[in-house]
Amino acid sequence: MTILVPVLLPLICAAGVLVFGKKYPLSNKFFTFIGAVGALGAAVALFAQDFQMFYMNWCEGVLPFSLTAGTFEKTVVAALCFFAFIILLYAAKSKIENEKWFYFSFLFTLSFACGAAMADNLLLMLFFWEGLLVSLYIFIVSAGAQSTAFKAFIINAVGDIALLAGVVLTAAAAGSFEISIIKTGPVQLTDSYGAWAFLLMCAGALAKAGAVPFHSWIPDAAEKTNSAFMAYLPAAFEKILAVFLLGRIMTFFNLSGGSLGANIFICLAIPSIIVAVVMLFKQKDLKGFIAYNIILQIGLLAFEQGASLGGAAELVSHGIYKAAALSSMFLCAGIIEAAAGSTALDKIGGSLKKMKFTAVCFIISCAVLCKVTLLDIIFSNTYAGLYSGNTVGIIFIALAHIFILAAFFKVIAALFKGNTQVKPVPVMLNFSAGVFAVLALLFSAGWVFDARNLFVLEHAHFNFNWVSGVGIAVILAAVALHIKWPSPSFGDFTPPDFYQAARTASLAVSTGLFKTDRFFDFIIDVMPTTVIKRFSKKGSAMHTGLSISYILWALIGALVFAVLSLSGGWV
């Protein structure tokens, strides 16, 4: 069945890479291309069918293997497969360390991501979702960053625990783990478990995408791994999967009749926005700058969703163009690194003057993320809810975008000032970055996937309105900020590091427990043993072997016995 191909074919090809990759290095790319192209072909074929479903009893009926492919699922799977194919073209022409494990993780990620998107059972979705931890760990370890891989694994695992708790509470409130059943009778946020289930599931989805405080592994990975990985997993797949899960969560719960759901989205989003905006100005490396944009964009996405409560389709379209823009930026960073030998901003100044196509792709992606394209100023046109009069939300986002745009001005200026020497790079690298830049531009203009018509700008609005006016005001304010205050330091601000805080707390707790254990060990074991040993040693010293000493000890003992007996001490 077509619905199984995006899940099974990449997994089978990943097994091929694992078996033959070391002995036959060319087979790594061969199997990966078969898996990626086959999955993309199956995703396209799914659009020719209205609906597909697969069901099979699995794990002795405890966990049914059920997949569905409606319009929402097909959109996400098509996006995942398309992103995988374009990034694979880039990776095939770039320098990859440990190709066997990179391409194995590449296929494994594609398989499990498609499985998570089409799963019709919460436990099955969680199974695929958790499986992505394996590929994430292998990706980073294969790049030689063991400590970063462990850090990423632990942070994502904690976020997944929140998702697990949310899944259990949602199933308890709905009375079923079957997604198709839950959607027919959404859980009320006012139910006993409703609000907690919604909060935990949203937190798990945002944690997967790198929201604060689950973010610190992303800048570390950007510094120590290759651009193909960063464009593939943190920038694209985790962003798409996060918006997919948020979209599904919105169908699990009844969000009408109150603002609790919107407030949860906004509260989860604000820390990511504030931390990322400040850290953008502190970055001295291009990949670090893009890494904090990953954190920023998931915060903006969640905030705008909370402020407008748009539908699932709008949310996915919004997430796809952000993922495309971020992937394009990372691929551009990889191109600059291959051409100039570094991504440090003080060493690549002027590189974009000599790499005109890369410069165009990078600027388009920056403009899309800053919301300054002609078709999409500040707010996505797919979010009609922003016209509902949420004045506070509009002011907050506008202020945030003033600093965001100023930070982008700073980086773009650094990339054009100077005279860094560059060397030619393969054309395919620029092709992949260009495809994502165009895709980001189209989606920001209002293009959405549609099962009947793939090329429809049904949400595009070309009329000038007050939102456009706010956008122009923000652009002017950002220009003024860049001129007057080009490098705000924000003091010695450093973002909260959940991983380091957890390590410090764990060390303090373990040290306290160790010292407590040593204290009781001293009281119960060491002290009695020491006293007995010393008494025994003194007693042994008294055994001199002379008969007179034993007679004296006998007389002393008899005297003590007599005294105790006469004084009534034995009563």
Side-chain angles (χ1 to χ4, degrees):
M1 296 179 68
T2 308
I3 193 173
L4 294 175
V5 175
V7 178
L8 294 183
L9 181 60
L11 196 60
I12 293 171
C13 291
V17 170
L18 202 59
V19 174
F20 300 103
K22 185 175 182 180
K23 188 174 182 180
Y24 305 103
L26 290 178
S27 66
N28 293 321
K29 294 179 182 178
F30 174 75
F31 280 115
T32 307
F33 268 101
I34 290 178
V37 173
L40 180 60
V44 173
L46 284 173
F47 274 98
Q49 307 169 31
D50 291 334
F51 182 81
Q52 269 208 11
M53 183 172 183
F54 178 82
Y55 185 92
M56 180 182 69
N57 281 328
W58 196 30
C59 298
E60 298 182 355
V62 176
L63 176 61
F65 190 91
S66 54
L67 303 177
T68 58
T71 301
F72 184 50
E73 292 81 11
K74 288 186 287 187
T75 298
V76 174
V77 170
L80 292 171
C81 294
F82 181 79
F83 273 72
F85 176 70
I86 298 301
I87 294 174
L88 178 59
L89 296 178
Y90 179 95
K93 289 295 183 179
S94 60
K95 183 180 178 182
I96 302 294
E97 297 179 358
N98 295 318
E99 283 193 352
K100 171 186 172 182
W101 290 109
F102 175 87
Y103 287 115
F104 167 79
S105 301
F106 189 98
L107 290 167
F108 190 91
T109 298
L110 178 58
S111 170
F112 273 61
C114 290
M118 293 189 291
D120 192 46
N121 182 282
L122 286 176
L123 292 179
L124 182 63
M125 183 196 73
L126 196 63
F127 167 78
F128 283 118
W129 191 277
E130 296 301 319
L132 293 172
L133 274 177
V134 177
S135 60
L136 173 66
Y137 183 83
I138 296 175
F139 260 130
I140 302 177
V141 166
S142 64
Q146 176 72 41
S147 59
T148 302
F150 184 75
K151 181 178 184 178
F153 185 91
I154 294 299
I155 290 176
N156 278 270
V158 173
D160 289 349
I161 290 173
L163 179 61
L164 171 61
V167 164
V168 172
L169 292 178
T170 301
S176 175
F177 283 100
E178 296 299 318
I179 292 174
S180 56
I181 295 176
I182 297 174
K183 290 192 293 186
T184 60
V187 176
Q188 301 293 326
L189 291 185
T190 54
D191 288 352
S192 55
Y193 301 124
W196 281 107
F198 181 78
L199 172 63
L200 290 169
M201 289 200 74
C202 288
L206 294 175
K208 195 70 169 180
V212 173
F214 305 97
H215 68 287
S216 58
W217 69 272
I218 296 178
D220 290 353
E223 178 185 351
K224 299 174 183 177
T225 60
N226 56 70
S227 296
F229 159 72
M230 292 302 298
Y232 184 60
L233 196 54
F237 269 45
E238 292 194 344
K239 192 72 70 254
I240 294 172
L241 286 175
V243 297
F244 153 76
L245 183 54
L246 288 176
R248 273 207 160 165
I249 290 170
M250 291 173 62
T251 65
F252 296 164
F253 297 88
N254 184 3
L255 302 179
S256 62
S259 60
L260 180 58
N263 291 336
I264 288 175
F265 270 122
I266 291 172
C267 291
L268 291 174
I270 288 177
S272 296
I273 296 173
I274 294 175
V275 168
V277 166
V278 173
M279 293 305 296
L280 286 180
F281 287 95
K282 292 179 172 289
Q283 299 310 303
K284 302 183 185 302
D285 187 274
L286 181 58
K287 291 201 291 187
F289 176 81
I290 304 171
Y292 273 102
N293 262 288
I294 293 177
I295 302 162
L296 170 65
Q297 295 305 322
I298 192 62
L300 290 173
L301 187 147
F303 186 93
E304 292 175 9
Q305 180 64 16
S308 66
L309 282 181
E314 290 85 356
L315 181 63
V316 169
S317 296
H318 203 51
I320 287 176
Y321 89 69
K322 285 182 180 292
L326 290 168
S327 293
S328 180
M329 289 179 69
F330 264 117
L331 297 185
C332 288
I335 294 169
I336 294 172
E337 185 175 23
S342 176
T343 54
L345 293 175
D346 59 351
K347 296 180 180 180
I348 57 177
S351 57
L352 288 189
K353 289 191 297 186
K354 303 173 182 178
M355 306 168 67
K356 293 181 174 55
F357 187 84
T358 305
V360 171
C361 296
F362 188 81
I363 291 173
I364 288 175
S365 300
C366 291
V368 168
L369 292 180
C370 290
K371 308 286 187 64
V372 294
T373 62
L374 294 176
L375 302 178
D376 187 18
I377 297 179
I378 299 239
F379 299 113
S380 170
N381 286 311
T382 60
Y383 276 73
L386 289 166
Y387 295 90
S388 62
N390 192 334
T391 306
V392 176
I394 292 172
I395 293 174
F396 177 80
I397 288 294
L399 291 174
H401 273 87
I402 291 174
F403 287 95
I404 294 168
L405 189 53
F408 274 92
F409 283 155
K410 173 188 173 183
V411 170
I412 292 173
L415 293 174
F416 276 94
K417 289 181 180 178
N419 193 30
T420 300
Q421 298 299 314
V422 298
K423 59 183 180 181
V425 296
V427 175
M428 191 57 69
L429 302 186
N430 277 309
F431 171 79
S432 298
V435 169
F436 283 133
V438 172
L439 183 67
L441 187 62
L442 286 174
F443 265 97
S444 70
W447 182 44
V448 295
F449 277 123
D450 186 273
R452 295 168 297 281
N453 186 357
L454 289 179
F455 303 98
V456 53
L457 286 169
E458 64 180 35
H459 290 292
H461 301 285
F462 300 94
N463 57 310
F464 187 89
N465 51 47
W466 68 271
V467 177
S468 304
V470 173
I472 293 174
V474 168
I475 294 172
L476 295 176
V479 171
L481 178 64
H482 175 67
I483 294 173
K484 295 294 184 180
W485 196 23
S487 298
S489 61
F490 295 101
D492 296 326
F493 174 83
T494 54
D497 190 332
F498 168 79
Y499 179 74
Q500 291 299 333
R503 284 192 62 184
T504 302
S506 299
L507 181 61
V509 171
S510 61
T511 301
L513 292 175
F514 176 78
K515 290 183 177 180
T516 301
D517 176 73
R518 294 300 90 188
F519 172 76
F520 284 106
D521 184 68
F522 175 79
I523 297 296
I524 297 172
D525 187 20
V526 176
M527 188 172 69
T529 304
T530 302
V531 171
I532 292 173
K533 283 183 178 179
R534 290 182 178 179
F535 181 79
S536 300
K537 187 175 181 180
K538 293 295 184 180
S540 298
M542 294 179 182
H543 287 274
T544 59
L546 299 176
S547 58
I548 187 62
S549 63
Y550 295 109
I551 294 171
L552 290 174
W553 280 114
L555 292 174
I556 292 173
L559 181 61
V560 170
F561 182 81
V563 171
L564 290 174
S565 298
L566 293 174
S567 63
W570 297 104
V571 179

